[in-house]
Amino acid sequence: MAAALPAPRWLLAGAAALLWACCGSAATDGIQDQAEHFFRSGHTNNWAVLVCTSRFWFNYRHVANTLSVYRSVKRLGIPDSHIVLMLADDMACNPRNPKPATVFSHKNMELNVYGDDVEVDYRSYEVTVENFLRVLTGRIPPSTPRSKRLLSDDRSNILIYMTGHGGNGFLKFQDSEEITNVELADAFEQMWQKRRYNELLFIIDTCQGASMYERFYSPNIMALASSQVGEDSLSHQPDLGIGVHLMDRYTFYVLEFLEEIHPASQTNMNDLFQVCPRSLCVSTPGHRTDLFQRDPQNVLITDFFGSVRKVEITTQTIPLDPNLGGLETRAPNDEMATEPLKYAEQLPVAQIIHQKPKQKDWHPPGGFILGLWALIIMVFFKTYGIKHMKYIF
Amino acid sequence: MAADAAGAEPAAGEKERGKRAALSFAAVALVLGLPLWWKTTETYRASLPYAGISALGSLRFQLTVPVSVVFAKGTLPGAQQRRLPLADTREEEILLNRKPSVTSCYEMTYRSATATEQAALTMATVQEADAALLLLQEDLLGSLTVYVIPETSPLLPQGIGVYIGKHRSAVMRGTQGPGDVLAAISARVQQIVQAMSFTTDSITTALSDRVPMDQLGTDTRRPFKSSLGYEITFSLLNPDPKSHDVHWDIEAAVNSYVQPFLDKLGSVANFSVDSQILYYAVLGVSPRFDKASSSFILSALSLPHVINPVEARLGSSATSLYPVLNFLLYVPERVHSPLYIQDKDGAAVGTNAFHSPRWGGIMVYNIDHPAPDKAPLLLRVDVDMVRVMEVFLAQLRLLFGISQVPLPEEFLLESPGNNGLTDWELDRLLWTRTVENIATVSTTLTSLAQLLDKIGNIVIKDDVASEVYHAVASAQTAMLELASGHLGSAFQASKEAVTSSERAFFDPSLLHLLYFPDDQKFAIYIPLFLPMAVPILLSLVKILREAKQSKKEPMKTD
């Protein structure tokens, strides 16, 4: 009897300790899960293709849209070498810009999104449907530099953002050509065939934007659009100093949402779908997730907008024998007195001022002069008659 | 009247001429115009070997490994000794998506040791024996030799049953007991052969495109995909140049330790190595101060955010399109020294380094600072390159997919030493790379054929067609060589096949820009053909009607 009494208390204490230990291990398991969460997405690098398809001063807002997304994506970690930025780039130095070398995205000129470290890869007339499709499919002429290529592999998550003027089933490029939703879907299919992406997020901010993602049929694509078919995407706010509208509504609210994201945040895609309800945006944003394999609840915003690297600790080393390799250790040199290096003469002013005028080669008169003289001779003979010809020749 | 009659006569003649003219217009339009229009609007499409491509698409591999098992004196009883030399073939099916796809075929030849081999096997240490045996082998890529020594032989240390050397041979203990020795050791021999050539897992990983994603482990995401070249960059990050004057002899270190490794992999890809020193390059994370160890700590959770701010400054060659491997050596600032990395359990990491899949590695190099009163303003640091290269080489091997196969305790693996890579590890890499290359070629060509089939108006130039033919032929050669056990030539053929197929697929001329919806086609052709077609059709209708009427006329008057 006496022995039985302490036993239950001891048992109770033991049970309590066991429970507490279980809770403790469950808590650490939770943290472990959080850390392993990184690996769930299966991508190792991030790319972004940001396209602004319009030019001219009154389309200021499209350039501001694209540059704002570019700023956010850079802030969250994607480096310039992994961003392909296509802009007409005729805003900052436009003669109508009251503040040259700037592009503002908030009224009262609060935020300059142009800055001095913008790296535009395709500018001005290089933004064409052909170049865009070449970037996506990889069929680029061999002379193209590395910064203009999309060098993604099968473990890349790609963000594609397009803005401009669009219609039902097409998107207008620079007022002269258009890309249809069928071509875009085919381009994505060719990317999938060659495994040029792991997952793709396609965001489009144009009128009737939802028609552009209707025809997609490749796996692992998630698409967002600012308006449904038959609706127009509206712009947000004009600035009276600059004189044009500065941003589109959808992108404005997406950007407000992205301002709260930092590289370690756990916000998922469902929150992005709720951005800009009809009351704020006037148009109805749409999204498409049926081609995407993961549940949007599990997809982090930073999976596409940021570049969070997967990391593993190095636990092993390869033992090396320093004596075998014949390593000649150079004695540490002190600073050798070398003559200072200087640049070659870029502009030899003295030579230019004192040079003699170059003898220009004689060229026969060009088309205009010839035409003018032919006209004069014709008029002469018409008035005075052909019989005077023998005095000339 | 006469004028009427005169008017009627030429009217009939004119009518006849008019009929003939209309008919000849219609005839020219049909006979000459339509074929001409067809011919001039068709696109030039060279022929492609569709049959060969679909045969490649079914992708049945046979991987043959030639293995020779050599018995030393005293391992086999006399009766079994007399059965040698013996040849045997063992086949195994590797299932992919529950369908048999890859057959691995081990061609075993059993023989007894020659006198020189016997002498080599009785040397003092097993490393010397391995070196001596290398001279006696043919050493073909992909082949293996297993030497069986008596169970009581002192060559292998105590407790070790198998030794796998630096080259392509292994030494194992035979069994002592009665019964068929060949059958008894066959399981162990199979284990050795699989460790040194390929396992089911490694082949499944190589064919990862065809396997659903959830079945793959993290090992598939770490190594780089097979590419024709790689660019390796070694960077020294010095965030505090006013306290530390850091020197590293990178050129000599690369020549001694990294270059032999890259030379061994020379047949696999082209490598270019460069190095740089970056000043004032800080990590994106500020480390915490840990009072217990009076040092600064970088926890495992903050490591992913370290890389991004540095990456923008690393740069890469503008001309090369090869994937880049970055190896960074970070010398912490004086105020943040010493800096240690902690793993997720909170323990300090021995190597003080971490790596990122498909990107590269970072190592933190701590400097011993002398006492503050004796410290000079600028501390000169000479980096110990051996310690650094040991870590970088290990990370380099991991990023290339050269990982350890889990083996039981009694296996002793020889470390690769200064070469960085043993011959059989190279063989493992070549097996998986060859399979991966052929699978890539098959997918590329199949999707190219589908694309060209679906979109009828892409021009197929002659050089694209010749690249496709070359790719198909090389891929077939590679599969034949794999089936006959020649790994070296199979790998070269597969590399050629991949180069040709990539060139064909990514040819800039294959751009599908012309998508015409049907209403646009009508909009283009109607203004061209309608003005011409309407008069011809109407006149043809009129001619037919008149012909019918004139046929009825004679009947009527009759």
Side-chain angles (χ1 to χ4, degrees):
Chain A
M1 208 47 138
L5 255 173
R9 220 185 292 153
W10 173 78
L11 268 175
L12 260 176
L18 211 70
L19 259 176
W20 190 78
C22 280
C23 285
S25 64
T28 47
D29 269 332
I31 297 176
Q32 191 121 344
D33 269 335
Q34 195 99 347
E36 308 291 8
H37 187 93
F38 281 138
F39 276 97
R40 243 179 258 164
S41 67
H43 72 278
T44 59
N45 53 19
N46 285 79
W47 284 81
V49 180
L50 309 173
V51 184
C52 164
T53 60
S54 37
R55 61 186 299 116
F56 305 131
W57 175 248
F58 48 83
N59 290 322
Y60 189 99
R61 58 190 184 282
H62 299 140
V63 172
N65 286 350
T66 318
L67 284 174
S68 313
V69 175
Y70 171 76
R71 290 267 159 234
S72 299
V73 149
K74 259 177 83 158
R75 178 179 61 87
L76 290 172
I78 304 187
D80 270 317
S81 53
H82 284 231
I83 301 179
V84 178
L85 180 62
M86 304 174 80
L87 286 182
D89 206 13
D90 54 350
M91 300 301 156
C93 298
N94 195 302
R96 293 164 77 168
N97 192 348
K99 291 271 170 113
T102 59
V103 173
F104 292 106
S105 66
H106 277 64
K107 68 168 186 248
N108 300 330
M109 303 190 196
E110 278 166 14
L111 185 61
N112 174 18
V113 287
Y114 200 65
D116 51 4
D117 59 344
V118 170
E119 191 182 293
V120 181
D121 299 306
Y122 286 86
R123 59 161 35 96
S124 187
Y125 292 108
E126 292 170 358
V127 181
T128 58
V129 174
E130 179 183 342
N131 281 346
F132 177 60
L133 288 180
R134 283 195 191 279
V135 164
L136 286 185
T137 54
R139 299 209 167 97
I140 292 189
S143 57
T144 319
R146 194 183 174 114
S147 60
K148 283 190 170 179
R149 293 185 188 238
L150 180 66
L151 295 170
S152 57
D153 54 27
D154 62 321
R155 293 269 150 249
S156 305
N157 275 10
I158 307 184
L159 165 73
I160 299 187
Y161 175 83
M162 302 184 76
T163 181
H165 290 289
N168 189 357
F170 67 91
L171 175 61
K172 191 169 72 158
F173 261 71
Q174 299 228 337
D175 241 8
S176 61
E177 40 182 19
E178 59 195 32
I179 183 172
T180 55
N181 48 7
V182 175
E183 282 174 351
L184 197 57
D186 283 339
F188 285 161
E189 175 63 17
Q190 291 183 52
M191 286 176 81
W192 175 250
Q193 289 286 329
K194 208 65 190 81
R195 297 292 183 275
R196 278 165 69 78
Y197 68 89
N198 176 35
E199 287 167 350
L200 200 99
L201 177 64
F202 177 75
I203 304 184
I204 183 161
D205 188 355
T206 65
C207 306
Q208 307 193 49
S211 63
M212 287 306 283
Y213 62 64
E214 272 172 7
R215 299 287 194 110
F216 292 166
Y217 54 94
S218 319
N220 287 351
I221 301 184
M222 195 189 297
L224 280 109
S226 62
S227 54
Q228 302 293 333
V229 176
E231 287 179 349
D232 287 339
S233 235
L234 300 181
S235 57
H236 183 63
Q237 41 176 240
D239 179 293
L240 297 177
I242 298 182
V244 283
H245 286 261
L246 293 184
M247 282 269 275
D248 278 329
R249 283 179 189 248
Y250 182 69
T251 311
F252 183 79
Y253 290 109
V254 164
L255 248 83
E256 263 190 10
F257 172 77
L258 285 178
E259 286 297 313
E260 278 142 46
I261 309 285
H262 53 275
S265 70
Q266 302 287 314
T267 328
N268 57 37
M269 277 295 166
N270 274 342
D271 302 325
L272 188 60
F273 295 156
Q274 309 303 328
V275 158
C276 207
R278 204 194 159 87
S279 54
L280 286 173
C281 254
V282 184
S283 58
T284 320
H287 57 267
R288 179 176 177 182
T289 53
D290 57 321
L291 294 167
F292 206 73
Q293 278 179 4
R294 293 191 287 148
D295 186 10
Q297 184 79 22
N298 293 332
V299 181
L300 298 178
I301 299 285
T302 49
D303 279 350
F304 288 103
F305 283 91
S307 174
V308 182
R309 301 269 179 192
K310 314 290 187 295
V311 149
E312 289 171 352
I313 306 281
T314 312
T315 46
Q316 294 173 333
T317 57
I318 303 288
L320 289 174
D321 188 355
N323 303 319
L324 253 171
L327 177 70
E328 306 119 33
T329 46
R330 287 200 311 237
N333 294 344
D334 289 314
E335 285 285 318
M336 290 188 297
T338 51
E339 55 174 77
L341 304 167
K342 51 185 185 147
Y343 282 105
E345 277 289 339
Q346 305 274 351
L347 192 64
V349 176
Q351 278 181 13
I352 293 177
I353 300 176
H354 297 299
Q355 71 186 359
K356 302 208 180 23
K358 234 183 1 185
Q359 289 285 353
K360 277 211 174 135
D361 300 324
W362 179 83
H363 294 289
F368 178 67
I369 303 292
L370 271 180
L372 191 64
W373 276 103
L375 185 66
I376 291 173
I377 290 179
M378 243 179 49
V379 167
F380 175 77
F381 284 120
K382 208 71 196 225
T383 19
Y384 295 109
I386 206 82
K387 61 182 186 289
H388 289 141
M389 188 100 107
K390 63 175 186 283
Y391 294 110
I392 313 289
F393 297 106
Chain B
M1 254 341 177
D4 266 351
E9 275 280 339
E14 265 191 46
K15 257 195 158 173
E16 212 26 68
R17 269 210 313 275
K19 256 192 249 171
R20 263 187 254 130
L23 279 174
S24 64
F25 273 128
V28 163
L30 271 177
V31 169
L32 273 183
L34 260 173
L36 201 65
W37 167 72
W38 188 257
K39 202 77 185 49
T40 48
T41 53
E42 87 176 353
T43 49
Y44 177 72
R45 293 170 76 92
S47 70
L48 291 179
Y50 290 107
I53 296 176
S54 53
L56 216 57
S58 62
L59 211 64
R60 293 214 46 137
F61 285 107
Q62 184 180 342
L63 305 171
T64 307
V65 187
V67 183
S68 41
V69 184
V70 180
F71 291 96
K73 229 192 309 210
T75 40
L76 286 179
Q80 300 180 27
Q81 187 95 9
R82 258 164 282 163
R83 275 197 293 165
L84 300 177
L86 187 62
D88 186 23
T89 312
R90 198 174 309 156
E91 291 198 1
E92 245 178 58
E93 291 263 346
I94 299 179
L95 297 177
L96 206 65
N97 290 339
R98 272 174 286 256
K99 276 185 300 185
S101 167
V102 180
T103 319
S104 50
C105 173
Y106 302 102
E107 283 176 1
M108 329 271 291
T109 41
Y110 301 93
R111 61 180 178 83
S112 47
T114 60
T116 34
E117 285 174 345
Q118 189 65 31
L121 284 171
T122 46
M123 285 193 157
T125 64
V126 70
Q127 280 86 359
E128 287 174 23
D130 192 36
L133 287 168
L134 173 67
L135 302 165
L136 302 169
Q137 283 170 4
E138 287 177 351
D139 205 27
L140 286 174
L141 271 176
S143 65
L144 297 173
T145 318
V146 181
Y147 294 93
V148 186
I149 53 175
E151 194 164 351
T152 49
S153 158
L155 186 63
L156 290 175
Q158 198 74 314
I160 299 292
V162 176
Y163 167 83
I164 300 185
K166 271 203 242 191
H167 307 285
R168 295 186 174 90
S169 53
V171 180
M172 66 175 275
R173 288 188 199 276
T175 51
Q176 196 77 336
D180 195 1
V181 180
L182 269 80
I185 60 167
S186 69
R188 180 69 72 81
V189 169
Q190 184 77 350
Q191 225 180 359
I192 298 175
V193 169
Q194 282 204 336
M196 291 172 77
S197 60
F198 53 84
T199 57
T200 315
D201 278 337
S202 59
I203 298 294
T204 322
T205 312
L207 294 172
S208 61
D209 281 350
R210 291 158 183 255
V211 173
M213 203 178 85
D214 39 342
Q215 291 177 14
L216 301 172
T218 48
D219 272 356
T220 57
R221 293 184 228 133
R222 195 193 302 126
F224 279 88
K225 278 271 166 188
S226 125
S227 150
L228 290 169
Y230 298 92
E231 210 189 294
I232 301 179
T233 307
F234 291 100
S235 309
L236 173 65
L237 303 179
N238 186 359
D240 200 6
K242 56 185 193 299
S243 311
H244 302 139
D245 179 22
V246 188
H247 290 256
W248 70 341
D249 194 4
I250 184 71
E251 210 176 319
V254 162
N255 284 337
S256 318
Y257 305 121
V258 179
Q259 202 56 41
F261 177 77
L262 297 179
D263 287 338
K264 224 161 177 175
L265 285 178
S267 59
V268 174
N270 295 328
F271 293 96
S272 75
V273 181
D274 37 54
S275 70
Q276 60 181 345
I277 304 183
L278 289 176
Y279 293 104
Y280 292 107
V282 291
L283 300 178
V285 189
S286 39
R288 274 185 311 113
F289 183 67
D290 182 34
K291 276 214 188 64
S293 52
S294 75
S295 59
F296 288 86
I297 302 286
L298 268 180
S299 72
L301 287 176
S302 57
L303 290 178
H305 307 296
V306 164
I307 299 180
N308 283 331
V310 188
E311 186 174 8
R313 300 191 51 188
L314 285 177
S316 62
S317 162
T319 48
S320 99
L321 300 169
Y322 295 142
V324 182
L325 285 87
N326 291 302
F327 291 100
L328 274 55
L329 184 65
Y330 182 73
V331 177
E333 302 138 313
R334 178 166 262 176
V335 298
H336 283 153
S337 286
L339 181 63
Y340 295 110
I341 298 180
Q342 266 183 0
D343 60 9
K344 29 187 215 290
D345 302 322
V349 174
T351 56
N352 223 15
F354 62 97
H355 57 271
S356 177
R358 298 207 183 183
W359 184 80
I362 299 186
M363 177 177 174
V364 178
Y365 187 84
N366 287 315
I367 310 173
D368 298 322
H369 288 103
D373 49 337
K374 291 200 219 115
L377 265 176
L378 188 65
L379 185 66
R380 190 195 163 95
V381 179
D382 284 301
V383 175
D384 177 13
M385 293 310 296
V386 178
R387 218 180 91 202
V388 166
M389 278 302 162
E390 285 182 352
V391 174
F392 281 163
L393 258 186
Q395 290 176 337
L396 193 59
R397 279 164 55 100
L398 279 174
L399 288 171
F400 271 107
I402 304 166
S403 52
Q404 299 281 37
V405 184
L407 290 169
E409 275 295 314
E410 46 188 10
F411 276 65
L412 175 64
L413 285 172
E414 181 66 43
S415 108
N418 276 23
N419 265 339
L421 189 68
T422 58
D423 285 347
W424 56 269
E425 282 174 335
L426 178 65
D427 282 356
R428 279 182 70 89
L429 193 65
L430 288 180
W431 283 112
T432 47
R433 285 281 167 109
T434 313
V435 169
E436 194 187 324
N437 282 350
I438 300 181
T440 312
V441 170
S442 141
T443 330
T444 307
L445 289 180
T446 315
S447 64
L448 183 65
Q450 270 177 0
L451 168 76
L452 294 175
D453 214 19
K454 191 171 96 140
I455 302 173
N457 50 15
I458 287 189
V459 176
I460 307 176
K461 296 196 303 197
D462 278 330
D463 51 352
V464 173
S466 72
E467 292 285 353
V468 173
Y469 272 101
H470 185 67
V472 168
S474 301
Q476 285 166 346
T477 316
M479 289 179 72
L480 280 174
E481 296 284 341
L482 273 182
S484 57
H486 304 133
L487 181 58
S489 45
F491 179 73
Q492 291 302 325
S494 75
K495 219 163 79 147
E496 268 177 49
V498 163
T499 319
S500 294
S501 69
E502 298 279 312
R503 228 181 282 150
F505 191 89
F506 285 118
D507 191 84
S509 70
L510 289 178
L511 194 65
H512 159 226
L513 268 187
L514 309 168
Y515 166 69
F516 290 129
D518 287 329
D519 49 351
Q520 285 190 15
K521 277 200 200 115
F522 279 127
I524 291 177
Y525 282 126
I526 283 180
L528 292 174
F529 287 134
L530 208 59
M532 176 193 75
V534 165
I536 294 182
L537 282 175
L538 284 181
S539 51
L540 278 178
V541 163
K542 204 157 149 224
I543 291 172
L544 278 173
R545 221 186 293 149
E546 278 182 8
K548 249 191 259 171
Q549 252 183 355
S550 61
K551 249 190 255 160
K552 279 200 214 131
E553 284 281 302
M555 291 204 291
K556 263 204 194 146
T557 52
D558 275 350

